[in-house]
Amino acid sequence: MAFKIPIRQLFIDGEWRAPIKGNRFPVINPATEETIGEIPSATVEDVEVAVKAARTAFTRNRGKYWARTSGAFRAKYLRAIAAKVTERKSELAELEVLDCGKPLDEAAWDMDDVAGCFEYYAGLAEALDSKQRAPVSLPMEAFKSHVLKEPIGVVGLITPWNYPLLMATWKVAPALAAGCTAILKPSELSSVTCLELASICKEVGLPPGVLNVITGLGREAGAPLAAHPDVDKVAFTGSTATGRSVMTAAAQVIKPVSLELGGKSPIIVFEDVDIDKAVEWTMFGCFWTNGQICSATSRLLVQESIAKEFIEKLVNWTKNIKICDPLEKDCRLGPVVSEGQYKKIFGLISAAKDEGATVLCGGKHPEHLKKGYYIEPTVLSVNPSMRIWKEEVFGPVLCFTTFKTEDEAIDLANDTEYGLGGAVLSKDADLCQRVTESLQAGIIWVNCSQPCFCQAPWGGNKRSGFGRELGEWGLENYMIVKQVTEYVSNDPWGWYPSPSRL
Ligand code: NAD
């Protein structure tokens, strides 16, 4: 019998509520193609109720309720959530696997990161208590000025499907730490663990309305949330195309947005590397999470002198990656998230072949798996003018080309509309520094690819978006400064020009 996920409703104002129109949609396990449950589908009417609940929680009794609590008070809830995530780690990891297809080990790792991120922002919330009032030095003694750091207000958080609970946490934890109240709208392709986060918030007694979770389709629930005039800020992670719609909607009511969008990041391998280690990082950088990582280093540039040896090893090792049901022990590659993604990725591979790309390995559905949206890890030898070199695939597809000189590598790496990540592999520290400084991207890895820590800033340039998540930058995303200037002189003419002398 197919595994069934918990039956949940929308989480609004601290209560489970059926969607007003009563719509629900199926949850499909991408490894088996079976329907394993249903998720409530919110519409504009539910968004309205959720925004009201978040607003009330923010400004209850005309004061600023959640916003006026101390950082230490909010930190207690964040730590309680972290503890519950740790307690329920294996169950949450299993749900994540069933919902989005990532290997179980990786999902378990995500849950550790989720708990770690809530803990980290609990610490920053506590530290806020001593930082909320910062003096500003002025050139006139008659005045004193300081800035108050305040939570920005009610925030709309819209997230993608590749790291369902982790991407939500990167927004929820700093938003709540800052004193904002939030409406989280996870991806319709993987909402299950976000509803479990709601159940954890209920369990730890998070005050009603502080976090609301509405599941639903992008156009029915995400779009009205982004456009809502009483949502003070939208933090979005997803594709560049949807990011553009979110920004357009936010522009109509002049609200700030932060955008974490797509990528097509390069990995540059110089001839002096240890080839085995470089091959390992290259594979990790592209095939981790079934290749569905925004920062995947999916454009491989190898210096011509070592290209033959490097690619032979890379292809041999890639052919040996264990592809199976992601719940199986030692699975290294599971299915992609949905039938839609599966078809889109094969469409891109097929178009690349039509343009003359050579398939060095993969490029097809694995023969031993009859059901599920599996795609063999694929290495393509391409020409940088091809579409597949430029477009985000968001699947286990690595495109490879060669370069001769450092300058050529940098030019090829930067010749993209995206600017999320990049990796440089070489034993020469000076060369690594030169390349790091030349790459147009928000995150650079040196002699590695993909490690991510909640203390360090995350985000992209160019069409990969703007704003930074994680670290102190992530908290700043949810805060606003207010200038307070006071007249402190006893002399009524202590400043010039005085209004009465005008
Ligand atoms: P997507 O843009 O299709 O959807 C993202 C979210 O937006 C979903 O919750 C969806 O329901 C919602 N949405 C859809 N249409 C909307 C609209 N008109 N208004 C408001 N919300 C709407 O992205 P996806 O397919 O879920 O995720 C994959 C993309 O996310 C890739 O491009 C990937 O690179 C990107 N991503 C970026 C980062 C990062 O940190 N930069 C991290 C993870 C994923």
Side-chain angles (χ1 to χ4, degrees), residues 432-461:
C432 287
Q433 188 174 338
R434 283 195 305 275
V435 175
T436 297
E437 287 170 6
S438 304
L439 289 180
Q440 298 158 350
I443 307 148
I444 305 296
W445 289 287
V446 177
N447 288 318
C448 61
S449 177
Q450 304 307 317
C452 173
F453 302 93
C454 68
Q455 295 78 4
W458 182 272
N461 307 339

Side-chain angles (χ1 to χ4, degrees), residues 211-285:
L211 176 67
N212 306 275
V213 182
I214 55 165
T215 51
L217 303 177
R219 65 178 180 280
E220 291 183 359
L225 182 60
H228 201 292
D230 205 26
V231 169
D232 299 305
K233 185 224 158 100
V234 181
F236 173 81
T237 301
S239 62
T240 297
T242 311
R244 195 170 285 124
S245 306
V246 167
M247 199 169 164
T248 305
Q252 308 314 306
V253 284
I254 315 289
K255 73 173 79 167
V257 290
S258 48
L259 300 175
E260 299 285 351
L261 309 177
K264 188 81 185 185
S265 301
I267 179 166
I268 309 175
V269 182
F270 285 91
E271 61 191 357
D272 64 345
V273 291
D274 173 324
I275 289 192
D276 284 12
K277 280 190 196 155
V279 168
E280 288 268 15
W281 279 117
T282 302
M283 290 169 69
F284 185 80

